[in-house]
Amino acid sequence: MSDQVTLTIDGKEVTVPRGTKVIEAAKQVGVEIPHFCYHPGLPVDGNCRMCIADVRTWNARAEKHFPARRPAVTCWTDAEENMQVFTDTDEVKKSRATVMEFLLINHPIDCPICDKAGECMLQDHYMQHDGKRSELREEKIHKPRLKPFGERIVYNGERCILCSRCTRFTAHVSKTHDLGIVNRGDRAVVELAQGSTFDNAYTDNVSDICPVGALTKTDFRFKKRVWFLKHTDSVCGGCSRNCNTVVDHDRAEIVRIMPRRRDEVNGHFMCNEGRDIYKSLAATVRTSAPISRVDELGAGPSWDDALAWAGGKLGEQKKGGKLAVIGSPWMSNEEALVLGHLAGKVCKSAWMDIKNDVIEGYPADDLLHTDDHNPNRAGVIAAGVVPGKKDGKDLAAIQEAIAAGEVEVLLVWGTGLANHYDSVEAMHEAVAKVPVVIQLTDAMDALSEVAQLVLPVRNWAERDGTWTNFEGHTSRFRKALRPHGQARDGFELLSAMCTAAGGKPPVKTFKDARKKLKQDPDSDVREVADGEFAFYKGQSLYRHHSGTTEV
Amino acid sequence: MESNYPVKGKDQVLLNFERGTESWPLSSYLTRGGYSTAKSVLSGGKYDSPADLVGVVKASGLRGRGGAGFPTGLKWSFLPKEPSGPIQLVVNADESEPGTFKDRVIMEENPHQLIEGCVLSCWAIESASCYIYIRGEYVPAIKRMVAAVDEAYAAGHLGEDIYGSGFTCHVTVHSGAGAYICGEETGLIESLEGKKGQPRIKPPFPAVYGVFGYPTIVNNVESIAAVTYIAHAGADSYRQWGTEKSAGTKLFSVSGPVKRPGVYEVAMGYPFKDLLENECGGMLDGVALKALIVGGSSVPVVNAEKALKINMDYESCAENDTLLGSGGVIVIGEGTCMVRTLMTLLRFYHHESCGQCTPCREGTGWIERIVTRIENGDARSGDIDELYRIADNMELRTICTLADAAAWPTKSFIEVFRDEFEAHIEQGKCPHDNQFPDHLNLRGGGKPQRHADPEHAFIA
Amino acid sequence: MSEQLGQNADFDNLIDGHVMPQPAYQGEFTEGEIVKYYNPSRMTLLEKLYVPAIIGGLMITARVFFTNMAKWGIWFTYWIRGKGKDAPKGAVTIYYPEETRPDYSPINRGKHILTMRQQKGPSGEALPQCVACYMCATACPAFCIHIVAGESPDPNIEKYCVEFDIEMDKCIFCGYCEEACPVDAIRLTPEPRMADYQRERMIYDREYLMTWNPTYVEDDHVYPGGHPREE
Amino acid sequence: MNTAFLVVSFMNLAFVLGLLLNLGGLLTWVERKQGAVMANRIGANRAYIPVPVGRDPNGAGGFKWSKRFTLMGLFHAITDGIKMLTKENFTPPFVDTFVYNLAVWFSAVPVLVTFAVVPFGGPFQPGVMMSEVLTMVGMTGAAASVGGFFGDGVYHMQLANLNVGLLFIFAIGSTGIFSAALAGWSSGNKFSLLGALRSSSQMISYEVFMGISVLGLLVVYGTVDFNEMAQLQQQTWFGVIPKWGVLLQPHMFFVFMTALMAENKRVPFDMPEAESELVAGYFTEYTSMKMGLFMMAEFLEIAVIAGIMTTMFFGAYHIPGVVAATDAMHWAMHPELTPVNAIFGAEVPHALVVVLRVGAFLFKLIFFCWLQILIRWTLPKFRYDQVMKLGWKYMLPLSIVNVIATAAFMYVLGGM
């Protein structure tokens, strides 16, 4: 018995590892089998009966294919050698239409007020596999609506199709066992466990995986119809896990953040804190133009003047200068590459280290949360923002040098320098000893109040880049929003500073930077380095596609 | 041995006791030769190996008495050669099929034969533990079984090292909570494990992955009790009754407007006509036979003409478009409204659907509502076809067979008694109102009404 | 080839069960002949000159002109006597704002209204039928409908529109919103008059869309629905 | 050149300018109103003068400006003028300023100048006329002094009594091309330039046979002097049928009329302006009164065309049936034909003759204005190739053949 089996699905041959479910094998040859209860991130339950197909097993003794005695659900049936699967026969189509009919008889069909409408599997499958009028002439069964499950989730029992994805999630993934299905038959409803507040960090995932609008998020409730949303691949910066996400935005605002499947980083899920990160992003204080506190430049210098001045100050430090560069674990790998070059090569071995921008956050747990609340420490270090080998000073040493008045030019990226001092006042006192402080930041903080030059940089939602998580997996985030004011892309800005300082940037283009960092530069980054964000085939009917993690 | 029960042949397999006496204590069973078979088998004299006994059971042609009729010996042989853990035997005493009450008689009147059968079966499949899962409503049966097991432990017929043979067998009596779905073997297993009684998706079958994940054999009470006889008398002796494919005797629980309803043990292949006339004393005066449900509520109904042609075995039932099922013979007399009968059945299935699979969860409630509407006279002409179509759609699309069990009678009722359904629609009411003989009082009072609050419709 | 064409002529002309008109070219096709696939002119020389046709056309328009002028003359006799309102005019059009026609079609697509629920809200306010599903906003080809959804004050209703603005100056009166609405919340009344002097006033908010009368009488005309006219 | 001549000339000038400029304005209104009546519409009726008619019955005080004096929309012509005069006089930065401004004058001036040779009445004796009038009202003294001032001098009711009248019209009229060409070129706009090119080619094309088409008529008349033409058309056949140009050369009437209308660039010959594809053609970049002059030139030209047509083809200022028996100053009527005879006796007074002649001329002028507007609101626009084809392939050959045939005919007949 080999580990691989070969089977035929709709006439297409496919070889998969033994133990693969037929529904997954079919996906590999581009055959989408409709389903509700099946989810690749959860144990199989097989209760929706939507994925029934004509599965014929090979009987070696009779040398014949035999159809299954009862129609098989492909989400549970293992692929077998020489198996034949037909997913588009009339019987299979009828079976799907039948299941759809049963699912819909007691469904309230309140799509107009349902937040899931537009990315609802029930809608999609109805369009594709049923499309009939309801034959029900009796009254529908009524169940509790608007039942809060904790503070973040609202349950609507009438919409629920009892696929048990949510209960399986709480039972097997978050292992909190908050949800269960009580009662029998068509009286069954999902219930929150008595006394449970359903306030763990992963509750919103049950809304993502809910194939219908039974579980909706209070955060997204009534906010926006999903077909108005644009989806941009992004990465969560809440901790060093770097969950791959999709930023759903409409016009200039992010409306919600959803997880994107990437098996080696975050699987299918993400935490609630990561979803809420857009709120803190919107709350940051930004500057729309460079701010200067030196007389030569005036209060509001142009970018050209500011860069020329900053480059000149850095350029002065070329020969054995007193330049200290403090990077940030929120930089992208490409920016870190250029910053390392600027400090190490252009300005001849300046003192260089990274700080902790964010020190507070949610405690680590077994599922996704990590201890480090900055996204890219590993990547920035790998890209070369490290204390130099010769005469290199780490952050503590740089702080000492600042206190001793040895540092003449201090270049800081990002916020949070005060985290390394006892208080903001202490930081101000220390920094006052440095003649030139240049801060490149996407948010204003205590340092911005005293720095000689503050240059606005785009934040993660406004620029392209890659982050590398603590396990070494690189993820790419993309530009979702229009930049705030004149804020500049960090990579371009640092390259320009290299030039202004009299040197040359290490790479010319963003792509070259990726090549230099050896992050699959030649292949399509979206498919290889990032989590795949696959859409269900039927979900591209009219200017919408799914924002769920569903595969 | 004299009995009120009419028997075929002297050696009754299952009802081998005198009716009206205290047949359930160990002492009574011992007088009937109880535990002698176990002793002889366990001490090694009778069969060379457990496989021999499995072979004998196979050769006896014993088919599962729970309803499906799967050969018991064959089922035993499906156990893996290298089991992943201790093999478990589960006796399915969750007898909740409407119209069936045969296992109750065994457990109440002859519990030790079941226990002996458990010991023998455990020996045959090399298991050390046996669970008897009894329906929660069978309180007297549970009491008697518990008492009987205690007696058997005390007398050394159960427990460690029985009769010094080195064979250990523990029997646990488990009381269910009265859910129909727990009569399905995987649902029973789930319930036995302490979970919500919902059928598991198959494969793996219980023989590979059953109770607590161990290889498990689930058998009906009647089958296990019959094993005692087969182990004692051999396959040929058992085959003296019945037909080629349906060997042995079978209990039939007859209910309905007959003179003597009850449980009768007859050989397979015994004509229904004889069962009705001889054993049950014929139909009640003034009531003619209208229809017959031969094997519990789940099987298709047949009309009187066909019913009188049926012999009580698997093949004859199949020839007459029905199934033998569990042997719960429901006799339906003239004057009974078939729509109301179906409605009653479907209320049961709607109530008992576990709610796991979509077609069953939604379909049982739907067809019940349609039939209720037909019965109340609110239906339209297309509703019969609609009903048939829904029932047809429910069939074979679920994990377990509960949906089929609801669909088959629905379809057969329409096929056989379509004119009655149409009469309901044409007249706008039930045409059978007040047509029963008053003394029968077979109908409850008032018109059937759906409960206003469906969530509490069937709970109170 | 010609035979085949002749045989199949009946079938060639049968498209979707309709008998199509015969092609203009009625001659037989012979091989090597260059077939011109356009309708040959069948005009006579006189027609080709166009002058008679032009004169004919001029006579028609002139006749209309004089007929109308005569009617205006009659109208003038009425007007002189101060009965201008009832006089027959030499035109089928009207002086629009001073006169309005009473016979707008009931299916004329005019001003929008929002329908209301029969039961009032908890504080006695009128509740819109609208459930804020955004179907109208999605269907709108002019993107002139703006909705903000919210929790309804009525506990029996889940969702309703907190704000519902229609930019009437962008609206093209296609009626798609009416078609898209699943709850019959938005309707286009026959009311045609909605011009205004300020652009700000052309944005109709929820409250204004909900103030309408089923029928109202104005200028002796009964309007089938719509907003009372603002002065 | 005496004082009386100057006075008469100023009178003529005042009459012509007053007539043309008022007609230019009024025709904008006529165009809209007539088009409306032809299309069962009401037409221009919005512009009004508010008339306070009384107290507001609802208000506390003040007048209610409820009566709106619209006068059939006649104020639209005034408001149009006010509007164009008061709108911003904007000169785009990319134009050639000098030529751009020059082109405006080329549009309106030639049209006005053209009318100089059109006789709007016959020869008249202001002294006789005025003394007759004044005598009639009883002012014999004034009559004698006015009669003495003017004497018996015979003047023409015409601005310039040129003996090359028609040639003058062709000469001046052809300068109109400069207007379109210069405006289009100087605007620095491709729409304007395209419009200018179209307009130039169309006007030049039609000028060719516009001249040739009337050659036949000139052969018949034997003169290019408009006054003489007018006099000649006074003759009759059989004493009844007037020898009007339209009866002499009816086919050429159509050709000449077509050519003139094409010169005017109006529908159906509005290719140069062609709103649908060229915005407004060669004057796209013009605003306020500059644009207004282009527009006005168009309407003035309607009147000028009407005047030319009247003079050449429709018997100028003559009334058919009224035949000059004695001389140009007095008419004798056929007794059986006219009731005028019964009132005035054998000879109609000179003053009445003048009034009737001017009235007849104005009537015919207005009729032709009406006819042009009727054509404009009846016919659809041609395609450009159709315009060219019509001119070069049909009108031009027809005109040439007509000239030869007429010449041959006249040679054989030996004169009119």
Side-chain angles (χ1 to χ4, degrees), chain D residues 173 202-204 206-207 210 259-265 301:
Chain D
Q202 179 180 319
M203 288 171 82
I204 288 172
Y206 273 73
E207 250 169 34
M210 181 173 78
L260 281 176
M261 288 191 67
E263 284 286 296
N264 197 11
K265 306 181 288 286
E301 204 162 337

Side-chain angles (χ1 to χ4, degrees), chain D residues 35-215:
Chain D
V37 174
M38 283 166 62
N40 287 334
R41 290 185 284 112
I42 291 171
N45 60 23
R46 281 294 106 183
Y48 64 92
I49 294 175
V51 180
V53 293
R55 287 193 174 279
D56 184 355
N58 302 323
F63 285 109
K64 186 193 178 192
W65 297 83
S66 62
K67 216 48 174 180
R68 290 171 174 182
F69 189 52
T70 58
L71 202 68
M72 294 183 292
L74 261 174
F75 295 119
H76 278 271
I78 298 170
T79 49
D80 280 351
I82 293 169
K83 183 180 85 178
M84 282 192 289
L85 283 170
T86 53
K87 284 191 92 167
E88 185 194 359
N89 186 2
F90 176 72
T91 304
F94 45 80
V95 300
D96 187 321
T97 320
F98 177 70
V99 183
Y100 175 79
N101 288 324
L102 188 67
V104 179
W105 297 106
F106 270 108
S107 71
V109 173
V111 181
L112 285 169
V113 172
T114 316
F115 205 82
V117 294
V118 176
F120 55 88
F124 85 125
Q125 291 169 302
V128 176
M129 183 185 80
M130 287 187 182
S131 58
E132 273 176 10
V133 172
L134 291 170
T135 312
M136 201 183 294
V137 296
M139 298 168 68
T140 44
S145 63
V146 171
F149 174 72
F150 285 111
D152 282 348
V154 177
Y155 301 91
H156 287 280
M157 293 178 84
Q158 187 184 20
L159 282 185
N161 185 12
L162 292 177
N163 56 0
V164 291
L166 188 61
L167 297 181
F168 175 81
I169 285 179
F170 287 161
I172 301 294
S174 61
T175 56
I177 298 172
F178 287 119
S179 151
L182 293 179
W185 174 80
S186 66
S187 288
N189 174 340
K190 53 178 168 272
F191 294 120
S192 301
L193 192 60
L194 280 173
L197 290 174
R198 283 184 176 195
S199 130
S200 305
S201 59
Q202 179 180 319
M203 288 171 82
I204 288 172
S205 304
Y206 273 73
E207 250 169 34
V208 172
F209 68 88
M210 181 173 78
I212 298 173
S213 64
V214 289
L215 277 182

Side-chain angles (χ1 to χ4, degrees), chain A residues 122-248:
Chain A
L122 204 58
Q123 281 183 331
D124 295 334
H125 289 343
Y126 172 76
M127 287 297 175
Q128 238 185 348
H129 304 295
D130 186 10
K132 291 199 302 267
R133 290 179 66 87
S134 173
E135 301 285 350
L136 183 81
R137 301 209 180 85
E138 290 78 22
E139 193 175 352
K140 294 184 185 237
I141 289 175
H142 295 291
K143 291 180 185 175
R145 301 185 300 145
L146 289 177
K147 212 170 174 184
F149 283 179
E151 284 183 0
R152 298 181 63 96
I153 299 290
V154 177
Y155 176 66
N156 185 326
E158 293 188 347
R159 290 183 195 147
C160 182
I161 60 165
L162 296 164
C163 68
S164 78
R165 274 184 179 188
C166 50
T167 59
R168 278 178 280 152
F169 177 84
T170 53
H172 300 282
V173 180
S174 72
K175 297 192 174 61
T176 49
H177 302 276
D178 293 298
L179 300 178
I181 296 177
V182 302
N183 232 324
R184 287 192 306 187
D186 52 14
R187 285 92 62 206
V189 285
V190 177
E191 283 270 13
L192 189 62
Q194 289 276 326
S196 167
T197 50
F198 203 40
D199 57 354
N200 66 67
Y202 301 98
T203 55
D204 275 12
N205 289 306
V206 300
S207 171
D208 294 351
I209 60 177
C210 182
V212 294
L215 296 161
T216 49
K217 290 172 233 175
T218 51
D219 182 36
F220 186 62
R221 190 169 166 79
F222 301 164
K223 217 184 202 175
K224 192 65 88 179
R225 302 317 301 257
V226 291
W227 54 84
F228 293 122
L229 298 177
K230 288 161 198 69
H231 310 286
T232 306
D233 293 0
S234 190
V235 180
C236 175
C239 70
S240 58
R241 172 74 62 181
N242 290 4
C243 292
N244 286 209
T245 59
V246 180
V247 168
D248 288 351

Side-chain angles (χ1 to χ4, degrees), chain A residues 230-271:
Chain A
K230 288 161 198 69
H231 310 286
T232 306
D233 293 0
S234 190
V235 180
C236 175
C239 70
S240 58
R241 172 74 62 181
N242 290 4
C243 292
N244 286 209
T245 59
V246 180
V247 168
D248 288 351
H249 51 102
D250 184 37
R251 298 196 177 85
E253 65 167 337
I254 299 177
V255 179
R256 65 174 179 185
I257 295 177
M258 302 274 278
R260 176 161 54 107
R261 178 179 181 178
R262 187 161 177 209
D263 290 340
E264 63 267 33
V265 177
N266 59 320
H268 299 78
F269 307 112
M270 72 181 290
C271 67

